[in-house]
Amino acid sequence: MTSIDDVARASGVSTATVSRALRGLPNVSPATRDLVMATAERLGYVASSAASGLATGRTLAMGVVLPNVSRWFYTTVLEGIDAELRAVGYDTILFNLGLKGQDRDRVFHRSILRKRTDGVIALCLDFTPEERRQLASLGHPTVVVGGPVPGLRHVGIDEFGVARAATEHLIRLGHRRIAHLGGDDEHGLNKRVPASRRRGFLRAMGAAGLDVPEPWLASGGFQITRGRDAALRLLQEPDRPTAVFAASDEMAIGVILAARELGLEVPRDVSVIGIDDHELAEVFALTTMAQDPYGQGRLAARMTLDELAGAGGRASVRVPTTLIERGSTAAPPADAREA
């Protein structure tokens, strides 16, 4: 069996350097780290988590807490986290709260995170004051992905700004009757995310002097099916909107499906824009404000690892978004522009 000494000899560095490189600790140059990682992979070296844990007093496992495992955003962030952790010999332990959050008490109030993990990454969750107290009492590095939580570091996009930019794209095209699909009744989500996206939409509409009828502020629950159902109601109104800004690509895809069902053509009859750049966005020719959930996962994992390595806790990080124009948005008909 290949040992750490074998990796050190083949790499031409000390065993201490190999150990630091494989565990992602500081004071190892990127070139040396890459050399050690490549050599370890070539020789088939696998670090012993049990031995490393005994030596460091750590579990060499990171806890990832998320509302459920059925959403593209969550699973893509999770893939990024796992990739970053596996590269340094860390395991990922998944704590799935379920669609209704039945397991919150087990996770937050029974010390399960304390006993099994060295750090915690939470995805798109709201926390009660007591849950925040429990997290703080762990003494573990904790990072939230997908919306800020008071007192915790987070990695995420500018929710308000991205919604405003998406709405302004539709306004620049000449749309005046624009509806919004949000998800503020979605259980388990960080409520600041849909609330900020709604505020961004309303700010852009207000700045352009455009009114938004109350029925045009609808909920699609961040799901394709619920987005479709909401859009079926919106698009059958006598004075229907000429464009819809959906707070996620999944809801935006639901709008496109509803339009097709009603015999409407996208974007001739209704333009649609979302947020995410979901894996299906290109298939549906969806214009979207793209973010990188995989990269956000890797960054969150790196932040927790750096803090464990004594490099200090990096502040919250706001990651960029990019407008990707595809075939779901266009100028409205001339009569709609004049309305």
Side-chain angles (χ1 to χ4, degrees):
M1 179 180 294
T2 303
S3 70
I4 193 170
D5 293 326
D6 297 326
V7 177
R9 280 193 295 271
S11 303
V13 299
S14 68
T15 55
T17 298
V18 170
S19 177
R20 295 182 71 82
L22 292 176
R23 287 188 288 148
L25 298 178
N27 300 325
V28 179
S29 71
T32 299
R33 192 185 308 278
D34 291 344
L35 171 63
V36 170
M37 299 295 289
T39 304
E41 183 175 357
R42 175 170 58 83
L43 296 178
Y45 173 73
V46 178
S48 167
S49 295
S52 298
L54 287 172
T56 63
R58 293 176 180 167
T59 65
L60 297 186
M62 202 73 68
V64 180
V65 186
L66 73 169
N68 64 76
V69 293
S70 65
R71 301 293 168 77
W72 167 84
F73 182 85
Y74 302 151
T75 56
T76 307
V77 173
L78 183 60
E79 288 172 358
I81 293 170
D82 189 58
E84 190 71 20
L85 295 178
R86 281 190 291 106
V88 295
Y90 254 80
D91 293 325
T92 302
I93 299 180
L94 181 63
F95 298 93
N96 178 23
L97 299 182
L99 289 173
K100 298 301 180 184
Q102 298 97 327
D103 286 338
R104 294 182 83 104
D105 181 70
R106 179 177 67 88
V107 172
F108 291 107
H109 300 295
R110 299 184 189 175
S111 301
I112 189 170
L113 291 172
R114 186 190 308 276
K115 295 174 182 177
R116 299 176 60 186
T117 68
D118 295 330
V120 179
I121 302 172
L123 275 56
C124 302
L125 287 170
D126 272 332
F127 296 106
T128 66
E130 174 59 20
E131 287 170 348
R132 287 200 295 272
R133 191 190 70 77
Q134 291 286 339
L135 284 171
S137 73
L138 294 175
H140 289 353
T142 302
V143 177
V144 176
V145 180
V149 173
L152 297 175
R153 293 177 299 151
H154 78 278
V155 175
I157 64 175
D158 177 358
E159 308 290 354
F160 175 88
V162 74
R164 183 174 59 187
T167 309
E168 288 171 347
H169 172 69
L170 296 173
I171 294 171
R172 284 195 301 271
L173 289 172
H175 290 279
R176 297 295 177 263
R177 304 201 305 270
I178 306 172
H180 172 56
L181 281 190
D184 46 4
D185 62 348
E186 174 72 353
H187 184 89
L189 276 178
N190 186 316
K191 298 298 189 294
R192 293 171 185 81
V193 172
S196 294
R197 292 182 185 183
R198 176 169 166 154
R199 286 193 299 106
F201 165 75
L202 292 173
R203 178 68 61 85
M205 294 293 283
L210 302 176
D211 294 328
V212 183
E214 187 62 31
W216 290 10
L217 293 170
S219 175
F222 286 90
Q223 300 175 31
I224 292 177
T225 52
R226 290 184 59 188
R228 168 190 165 274
D229 292 344
L232 284 173
R233 293 188 293 271
L234 279 173
L235 298 179
Q236 291 187 80
E237 292 187 7
D239 187 26
R240 67 171 183 262
T242 64
V244 178
F245 159 52
S248 77
D249 282 356
E250 290 178 71
M251 290 188 290
I253 290 168
V255 177
I256 293 174
L257 293 175
R260 291 178 181 176
E261 194 171 328
L262 295 172
L264 302 175
E265 185 175 323
V266 176
R268 185 194 65 191
D269 299 311
V270 58
S271 285
V272 185
I273 188 170
I275 295 175
D276 282 334
D277 201 24
H278 188 284
E279 60 187 359
L280 292 176
E282 188 171 4
V283 175
F284 282 88
L286 176 64
T287 297
T288 186
M289 300 298 298
Q291 61 173 323
D292 178 15
Y294 181 85
Q296 291 176 46
R298 295 202 72 143
L299 177 57
R302 175 46 50 192
M303 288 168 65
T304 57
L305 290 169
D306 287 347
E307 187 170 348
L308 284 168
R314 189 188 309 186
S316 296
V317 178
R318 178 174 288 178
V319 294
T321 56
T322 304
L323 172 65
I324 298 181
E325 296 187 59
R326 296 191 176 103
S328 68
T329 53
D335 57 344
R337 290 196 297 270
E338 294 167 359

